[in-house]
Amino acid sequence: MDYVDQVLSQLKEKNASEPEFIQAATEVLNTLRPVIAQHPEYQKAKLLERLIEPERIITFRVPWIDDKGEIQVNRGFRVQFNSAIGPYKGGLRFHPTVNQGILKFLGFEQIFKNSLTGLPIGGGKGGSDFDPKGKSDAEIMRFCQSFMTELFKYVGADEDVPAGDIGVGGREIGFLYGQYKRLTGLYEGVLTGKGLTYGGSLTRTEATGFGLVYITNEALKAHGKSFEGKRVVISGSGNVAIYAAEKATALGATVVAMCDSNGYIYDANGVNLPVIHDIKEVRRARIKEYIKEVPSAEYHEGCSGIWTIPCDIALPCATQNEINEDSAKKLIENGCWLLAEGANMPSTLEAQEVYKKAGIIFLPAKAANAGGVGVSALEMSQNSLRLSWTFEEVDARLQGIMKSIFANISAAAKEYGENEDDYVTGANVAGFLKVATAMMAQGIV
Ligand code: NDP
């Protein structure tokens, strides 16, 4: 058995109850084979065994009191996966499906994504099985305060810097930050995605969605194409989806469908983004409400139907494994020729096989959604410098980051991939090499 197979078999045995983590690590390790073959010293240093084991996982109790006066207990986590190239950095997810395996998959992906940004940040992820849906602002605040009362012991501006993810937006980051400051007396950049009046960066809210469209635009240009006149399907209607839709529309595309976890809307004329913004960001209501405002549009219950809508470009921006083999086949049958992942691991391994066989342009999450963490790192820089850059300045840096990621994954695809458009191998290898070199230099730690 060669070295990668040995590590894969150990991975499956040791993490049997964590299918998402096994899925993410298997995809990465399989594409690293050519690099591992060139570096026999990695095996001697047990580099892959160390890479797949988080440096530390913190699990804690989060008790809080709801509006009826009843005591609720949730579970909190922080996975500090790898700090070879910088302090741990990665979002917090509040969603009932959160468990250790999901956070390990997200933290593992984050290591390579953060490396690809070219900025000095390690990989981490955290969150809770708390469900923010239907909770009052006061309940959200009490939960966030209780969560931070435990987490503050393990995070810090030079140690571990969490941000948002599913269920954690500006409101939650504000409550978490307030409690951190109260507990530590420190006014420091311990969280990113902060409000603009207390250390946040312009463009952070838009960064993941805009970055996704910027890198997709680079891939389009490399293939002699553009967004102009293209039909785009975007899943989700949260932070990533909304700003991806905004930027794709600005570049001349028509976004024909979006969804939430209940169902999807189809609007052949192009989704009306101010209406979506009002429903999802202001009123925190369901996307179904869209057809009340735009009666010519359609609403369908269930999410997977969104992948049957004919489109040129698909941007999955909701959650992991939202596109399975069947959905991938439907997308391609209906004309999709480019798919870029805004969400983390939205495509199953089987779906990725379908893309590969069909030869569509495929930009994996690690590269495609790295704009969010890229601007988070710029927020850290601004906090350290005690400066605020303008929207244009941060947006220009974001564009630079996404351009450089595309150039790096293309170069690695040419050198190590199955073909020059093999951006999956390109992203994994380019992200891995920097981390591997740093780990080798730092001894057995
Ligand atoms: P939000 O909570 O803002 O939005 C998530 C959206 O996806 C909501 O519309 C939600 O619907 C929908 N959704 C969630 N679960 C499901 C499901 N099982 N089926 C269908 N739709 C679902 O999260 P973000 O936009 O921040 O995150 C979306 C994805 O992007 C995640 O995979 C996240 O890890 C990734 N990401 C986010 C970054 C960021 O900067 N925010 C950075 C990099 C990656 P509903 O309202 O019904 O829950």
Side-chain angles (χ1 to χ4, degrees):
M1 217 192 281
D2 80 0
Y3 177 40
V4 171
D5 288 325
Q6 274 173 40
V7 178
L8 280 174
S9 128
Q10 184 186 319
L11 167 89
K12 286 175 190 144
E13 198 182 315
K14 274 195 169 176
N15 303 283
S17 61
E18 298 175 345
E20 292 86 1
F21 175 53
I22 293 177
Q23 180 184 340
T26 303
E27 188 229 80
V28 171
L29 294 194
N30 271 329
T31 57
L32 294 181
R33 290 175 192 276
V35 189
I36 302 297
Q38 280 176 3
H39 292 275
E41 70 277 18
Y42 290 169
Q43 179 168 7
K44 199 153 174 256
K46 294 257 192 310
L47 187 92
L48 294 181
E49 290 89 331
R50 288 190 285 134
L51 190 71
I52 58 168
E53 201 57 43
E55 288 174 20
R56 182 174 313 102
I57 300 179
I58 299 131
T59 312
F60 50 94
R61 179 171 69 208
V62 191
W64 57 283
I65 298 174
D66 69 18
D67 286 348
K68 293 188 206 117
E70 276 179 35
I71 296 165
Q72 304 286 341
V73 183
N74 286 99
R75 193 171 277 179
F77 301 89
R78 187 70 183 162
V79 178
Q80 297 184 329
F81 220 121
N82 191 300
S83 61
I85 65 168
Y88 311 103
K89 179 94 198 84
L92 296 173
R93 177 176 291 191
F94 292 168
H95 195 272
T97 57
V98 162
N99 58 40
Q100 181 172 293
I102 299 260
L103 295 177
K104 277 174 71 181
F105 119 62
L106 289 163
F108 186 73
E109 290 279 298
Q110 199 80 41
I111 304 169
F112 307 96
K113 181 187 310 191
N114 291 3
S115 165
L116 281 173
T117 65
L119 299 163
I121 38 179
K125 199 83 189 187
S128 172
D129 57 2
F130 171 72
D131 186 358
K133 263 194 213 109
K135 305 287 188 302
S136 69
D137 284 353
E139 288 175 323
I140 298 279
M141 182 180 76
R142 287 195 293 274
F143 174 81
C144 288
Q145 290 180 339
S146 181
F147 184 86
M148 185 52 90
T149 300
E150 197 57 36
L151 186 70
F152 88 98
K153 300 167 193 164
Y154 312 103
V155 295
D158 294 314
E159 192 180 352
D160 184 353
V161 183
D165 191 77
I166 292 180
V168 180
R171 172 181 60 171
E172 291 75 17
I173 294 288
F175 294 147
L176 291 163
Y177 189 71
Q179 185 71 355
Y180 179 83
K181 191 163 59 68
R182 183 187 190 194
L183 290 163
T184 61
L186 296 173
Y187 207 103
E188 61 170 18
V190 66
L191 291 161
T192 57
K194 298 188 290 301
L196 296 176
T197 53
Y198 62 95
S201 173
L202 285 157
T203 326
R204 175 60 188 93
T205 308
E206 297 83 356
T208 310
F210 278 18
L212 171 68
V213 171
Y214 292 148
I215 196 166
T216 304
N217 204 28
E218 289 303 306
L220 286 166
K221 281 195 272 177
H223 291 83
K225 298 175 192 286
S226 78
F227 266 107
E228 193 61 51
K230 304 299 182 300
R231 287 162 62 93
V232 180
V233 165
I234 300 183
S235 64
S237 47
N239 174 263
V240 181
I242 286 180
Y243 293 99
E246 186 178 310
K247 188 52 81 177
T249 305
L251 294 182
T254 306
V255 176
V256 292
M258 294 182 81
C259 72
D260 63 17
S261 56
N262 292 114
Y264 68 94
I265 51 149
Y266 171 65
D267 188 340
N269 299 321
V271 171
N272 184 324
L273 293 172
V275 171
I276 293 282
H277 174 79
D278 179 56
I279 295 171
K280 299 302 293 185
E281 290 196 316
V282 180
R283 291 196 270 140
R284 297 183 191 272
R286 311 311 299 157
I287 205 166
K288 195 178 183 177
E289 301 279 305
Y290 185 84
I291 49 169
K292 284 193 195 148
E293 314 276 333
V294 186
S296 57
E298 295 169 19
Y299 173 75
H300 300 270
E301 281 292 324
C303 305
S304 61
I306 198 170
W307 309 120
T308 63
I309 297 173
C311 65
D312 300 291
I313 296 172
L315 303 177
C317 295
T319 194
Q320 64 273 0
N321 291 330
E322 53 177 312
I323 307 184
N324 61 16
E325 186 176 7
D326 276 355
S327 298
K329 284 184 180 156
K330 294 236 172 65
L331 271 170
I332 285 156
E333 273 163 32
N334 288 316
C336 174
W337 47 264
L338 187 153
L339 189 141
E341 298 183 326
N344 283 308
M345 203 170 75
S347 312
T348 63
L349 290 173
E350 295 76 22
Q352 288 195 37
E353 278 305 310
V354 174
Y355 310 152
K356 208 196 268 185
K357 267 199 202 120
I360 67 167
I361 305 168
F362 172 50
L363 292 168
K366 277 180 205 81
N369 70 24
V373 74
V375 172
S376 274
L378 300 180
E379 183 174 330
M380 290 164 71
S381 303
Q382 293 169 80
N383 291 162
S384 298
L385 293 165
R386 304 202 186 284
L387 282 176
S388 295
W389 297 330
T390 62
F391 187 93
E392 290 69 27
E393 217 169 334
V394 183
D395 191 42
R397 284 178 196 256
L398 170 63
Q399 291 185 46
I401 291 171
M402 300 317 292
K403 259 190 189 168
S404 124
I405 293 177
F406 185 71
N408 288 339
I409 66 170
S410 302
K414 284 195 182 93
E415 193 170 346
Y416 297 100
E418 289 178 21
N419 56 62
E420 62 176 25
D421 287 343
D422 179 1
Y423 302 123
V424 174
T425 301
N428 289 342
V429 170
F432 166 78
L433 279 171
K434 182 173 166 192
V435 175
T437 309
M439 285 176 73
M440 291 299 285
Q442 291 172 17
I444 306 304
V445 289

